[in-house]
Amino acid sequence: MLDLFDLISLPTSMVNKENLILFINEIGLQFLEFSENNFSLQPII
């Protein structure tokens, strides 16, 4: 199901109650200038 998020052409993410990113699509990674290799749970400001 999460693969469907990669079809969305806008940055899309899911966060938890602590504002940590649980999932982010490829466009979101590009927008934040991250790659899957250097991405880990990050707090949202």
Side-chain angles (χ1 to χ4, degrees):
M1 179 176 148
L2 293 179
D3 293 336
L4 294 176
F5 282 103
D6 284 324
L7 299 175
I8 299 171
S9 60
L10 297 171
T12 305
S13 64
M14 293 188 303
V15 297
N16 65 10
K17 291 179 186 179
E18 290 80 31
N19 290 328
L20 294 176
I21 297 172
L22 301 176
F23 173 80
I24 188 166
N25 67 354
E26 184 64 35
I27 300 295
L29 288 172
Q30 292 173 9
F31 179 78
L32 296 175
E33 298 180 354
F34 286 125
S35 72
E36 288 187 35
N37 294 335
N38 66 4
F39 179 77
S40 62
L41 293 178
Q42 300 287 326
I44 299 282
I45 298 172

